[in-house]
Each structure stands twice: as structure tokens, then as C-alpha cells.
Amino acid sequence: KYKVSDKYLKETDRVTCALIMKMIEEKTDACDNFKATFKGVRKDGSTVKEKFSGLTTEELFKKYCKYTSKVYSCDYAPKGSDTKCRIAFAYDSKAVSEGDGVLGWCNYIRNKDGGTHVDAVSNALYDFFKKYMWKDFLSEKEKKDLQLKREDVKLGLVGVVVLLTNENPDYQGQFKERIQSVPLGEELEACMDKFLGKFPETELRAIASILKDNIKARMSSIKARQQVKKVGNGLSTDNIDKYFPRKSNCNVQFNELFITEGDSAGNHA
């Protein structure tokens, strides 16, 4: 119980009930089965009371990653270890997340820039589906024409990772924006690999189909860039005398925009 005072804080006007509640919410989100109550008195004398509850993996995903369809959840708690992890991820062209891709918390601290626990999700997906697609999914012709890259795995991937550990992971940045712990990342990748290995064939093929479309989208973009280069010295005049139509030979939801400039770019566009 406390009162904001000029004795301790220089900018007391910035400390509001709303700010404190937001900070409590950020801490509480990743704490499943945790409850907290905030009671405050605003500067105008009015009172505010707000209750906060920790979110399950599915609830956390729903809050930060909207408009997704099929969501996959994985809980990880190895024997003989204090490390626990909750993972939820999805692939959806309409998926929207608050940040970029997978969001991560480590010991209830939101890691704005992710880290090894976040990278483990995409790394495990890449390693698993690189083997699966070339063994059981792609045709012989597709094996020659297509090559899966890590950027293909990350396209349309959203999710959340909540990691609890007593291993005292290394953090990067003053506010612990990113965790740097290779052993933890390797543990999570192994967990994800086992999790994916238990997927039914229909689910594996559904994700593999998305990844194949991502590969085609990337390859189509490369071709489009090559076509733009073939225009020649078109950037030296205001009017480009030749252009190529938009590539649309594969069914993808992600578009790429090309912008060219004329004389104002000083021939450096």
C-alpha cells in the first residue's frame, strides 16, 4: 500500500492507476492459476478496483494472436528438471500478432525481442518439415524444383512460448528483452520434435501444404525481381518503356510490392 510522492519520484503525473494496472497485467498474463486484485484512488479522488487472472496457454494465444484457425499446443516438463514450458502456435495467412511471429515470456518476464525459447519453435518446425516434406510429401519433380528455407517456415507463423526455469538464463538488454541460452533452446527444440512426431498425417500435410505455398511465393518473388532487372536502364527516365505483369502462378495470401524511382533517386534506386 503506497502513495505516489514527489519525495521519491520526479514525474509523479506519469504514475497513474492505468499505468500500474497495465504493468500488473503484463506480469500476470503468463502466470496461469495466478490471481491479483488492484485497488487504487485516482488523482481526482475516484476509486478503481480491477482483478487480474493468469491465462492458460490457449487464452494467452487468443489474446495476443488473433484471427487464427487451427492452434497446436504443447506442454513441456522433463523429468528431473525444474524447467517447464508452454507452447502454442498456428499457421494462418490472416493471423495477426501484437509483435512479430512468436511471442515469448521467460520467468514471467515478457521478452520483447524473443530469444532462444522463441527461436526454438521455428527451428524445430524447419528441421522436422525439411525431413518430412522431402520424404513423404513432395513429388520427385517438386524435390528438384523446391527447397525449404527458414524464412518459408516463419511466414504466417504466430504463437506464444512461456518458459519457467531455475537455470538463471542469460538476458540481453537492460530490460531483459531477449534471452540467450543455447541449452534451453536445444531442450525446447527436442520437445517440439517429439510433439510434431505425434501429429496425425492429416495435420502434417496441412502444415506442409502451407510451407509449400510459402516456398512458391518466395520463388515467385525472386522471379519478379529478375524480371524487374531485365527492364534495363528504365530508371534513367521518367517513363519506363517496358514492364512485366504481376506474377500470380501460385495460390498465396502474401503479396510483395516493388517500388521504382526515377531521376530523383540519382540513378541509385
Side-chain angles (χ1 to χ4, degrees):
K1 187 174 181 180
Y2 67 93
K3 180 180 180 180
V4 178
S5 171
D6 292 329
K7 181 178 179 181
Y8 303 104
L9 299 171
K10 293 182 179 180
E11 299 176 348
T12 55
D13 289 339
R14 295 181 60 185
V15 184
T16 63
C17 288
L19 174 64
I20 296 171
M21 287 189 291
K22 181 180 178 183
M23 295 173 71
I24 295 175
E25 181 183 19
E26 286 187 354
K27 285 288 186 182
T28 307
D29 275 347
C31 304
D32 57 329
N33 300 320
F34 180 81
K35 297 183 183 297
T37 302
F38 172 80
K39 298 177 182 179
V41 180
R42 298 188 180 93
K43 293 185 172 86
D44 62 4
S46 62
T47 59
V48 58
K49 181 179 179 180
E50 188 76 28
K51 292 184 178 181
F52 300 90
S53 297
L55 304 178
T56 65
T57 312
E58 291 75 15
E59 291 170 338
L60 193 65
F61 183 95
K62 187 176 181 180
K63 179 175 180 177
Y64 287 94
C65 308
K66 302 182 177 74
Y67 309 115
T68 55
S69 51
K70 179 69 176 179
V71 179
Y72 305 98
S73 299
C74 170
D75 290 342
Y76 167 68
K79 294 181 180 180
S81 174
D82 293 327
T83 299
K84 296 180 180 179
C85 185
R86 297 186 285 137
I87 300 172
F89 71 92
Y91 269 107
D92 199 311
S93 61
K94 298 179 181 178
V96 177
S97 84
E98 186 188 74
D100 292 327
V102 183
L103 309 178
W105 286 260
C106 181
N107 292 347
Y108 304 125
I109 298 170
R110 168 80 182 279
N111 310 119
K112 304 288 186 182
D113 294 334
T116 48
H117 57 332
V118 170
D119 295 339
V121 176
S122 58
N123 289 342
L125 285 165
Y126 171 76
D127 291 336
F128 182 89
F129 279 96
K130 185 177 181 180
K131 296 175 184 177
Y132 169 77
M133 292 175 70
W134 263 253
K135 180 182 178 182
D136 301 314
F137 183 75
L138 298 177
S139 66
E140 291 303 318
K141 183 179 185 306
E142 288 174 332
K143 290 177 183 178
K144 295 178 181 179
D145 297 338
L146 304 179
Q147 181 181 3
L148 183 69
K149 294 190 176 182
R150 294 184 187 275
E151 61 192 276
D152 304 323
V153 172
K154 293 181 179 180
L155 187 60
L157 174 66
V158 292
V160 294
V161 177
V162 181
L163 179 66
L164 296 178
T165 179
N166 288 332
E167 294 187 18
N168 192 25
D170 292 329
Y171 290 94
Q172 187 181 72
Q174 182 179 358
F175 299 103
K176 301 184 177 181
E177 294 96 341
R178 181 179 179 86
I179 72 165
Q180 308 264 86
S181 179
V182 174
L184 282 174
E186 292 176 345
E187 280 190 75
L188 296 184
E189 286 184 39
C191 164
M192 279 283 293
D193 187 68
K194 292 180 181 178
F195 176 61
L196 293 169
K198 297 178 181 178
F199 271 25
E201 185 67 18
T202 53
E203 300 292 356
L204 292 176
R205 296 187 73 83
I207 296 178
S209 295
I210 294 171
L211 297 181
K212 186 169 79 169
D213 282 345
N214 290 349
I215 296 173
K216 289 183 177 181
R218 173 173 53 78
M219 294 178 65
S220 180
S221 296
I222 292 174
K223 289 181 181 178
R225 292 190 190 99
Q226 292 172 344
Q227 293 284 33
V228 169
K229 289 180 180 179
K230 289 180 181 178
V231 171
N233 200 27
L235 297 178
S236 63
T237 61
D238 290 335
N239 297 314
I240 297 177
D241 54 7
K242 185 179 182 183
Y243 68 93
F244 292 86
R246 174 175 61 88
K247 293 287 181 181
S248 58
N249 58 354
C250 59
N251 181 23
V252 295
Q253 298 294 325
F254 299 91
N255 300 316
E256 186 167 346
L257 174 66
F258 295 92
I259 299 177
T260 60
E261 294 191 43
D263 292 338
S264 61
N267 294 325
H268 296 294

